Amino acid sequence: MLLNISAKMCSDEPGPLDAKFSLPGCARAIAMPYPANAFDAPRIAERCRDSKAGAVLFLGPAADFERFATASAEAKWYPSLLSPGMLAARAASNVPQGFGERVYLAYPMSPSRTDGASAFDRFAAKHQLSAANVLPAFSGYLAASLFMD
């Protein structure tokens, strides 16, 4: 399950992150974008639970991450939660205890650009990602890689 505040990055149409999850042996990722300032945590947690998602890659703001974790716990559902650390670090410390060791944060570092052959560079070229937004794209790539691991 992939939750994101930006409908441009996540839609029902296959996109770069959907392609990242479509490797052999991986379950199909389900993108669930939501509008800014209209996050209905209980409803979205219920939809994710009903889809039988074992993990949620959350790419929204910290407050939404915390509300989602709380709503999931109230529904007695504890999936693995994955998010870029720059988005959810503080909120991750406030998730209900039932999540135990199921919260994973990715912390990006600047990718090497010396040889142009890194896995991220190949991914960015294949999906024509904008160089202007390299840090958010790299953060999403790392979170997706963490999700796959």
Side-chain angles (χ1 to χ4, degrees):
M1 187 62 60
L2 178 64
L3 297 180
N4 189 299
I5 199 165
S6 170
K8 290 181 182 177
M9 280 188 68
C10 302
S11 69
D12 292 334
E13 296 298 317
L17 290 178
D18 293 331
K20 177 71 176 167
F21 292 120
S22 65
L23 298 174
C26 294
R28 182 182 168 275
I30 301 169
M32 191 178 298
Y34 63 92
N37 300 318
F39 184 59
D40 184 350
R43 185 180 67 79
I44 293 195
E46 182 178 302
R47 285 180 61 197
C48 291
R49 182 197 66 209
D50 292 348
S51 76
K52 302 198 183 334
V56 175
L57 175 56
F58 197 95
L59 300 174
D64 291 351
F65 180 88
E66 190 171 341
R67 289 196 327 249
F68 178 78
T70 299
S72 297
E74 288 171 356
K76 308 272 189 263
W77 177 62
Y78 299 95
S80 293
L81 297 177
L82 302 97
S83 184
M86 67 184 196
L87 295 177
R90 288 184 189 232
S93 65
N94 296 325
V95 298
Q97 286 185 343
F99 280 96
E101 296 180 9
R102 292 187 189 105
V103 178
Y104 302 91
L105 302 178
Y107 288 93
M109 54 185 232
S110 178
S112 171
R113 293 287 189 243
T114 56
D115 63 6
S118 74
F120 174 73
D121 289 331
R122 290 188 303 273
F123 177 78
K126 178 179 178 181
H127 298 289
Q128 301 174 340
L129 301 181
S130 169
N133 297 317
V134 71
L135 187 56
F138 188 62
S139 295
Y141 179 84
L142 286 178
S145 296
L146 177 64
F147 182 75
M148 290 189 53
D149 288 341

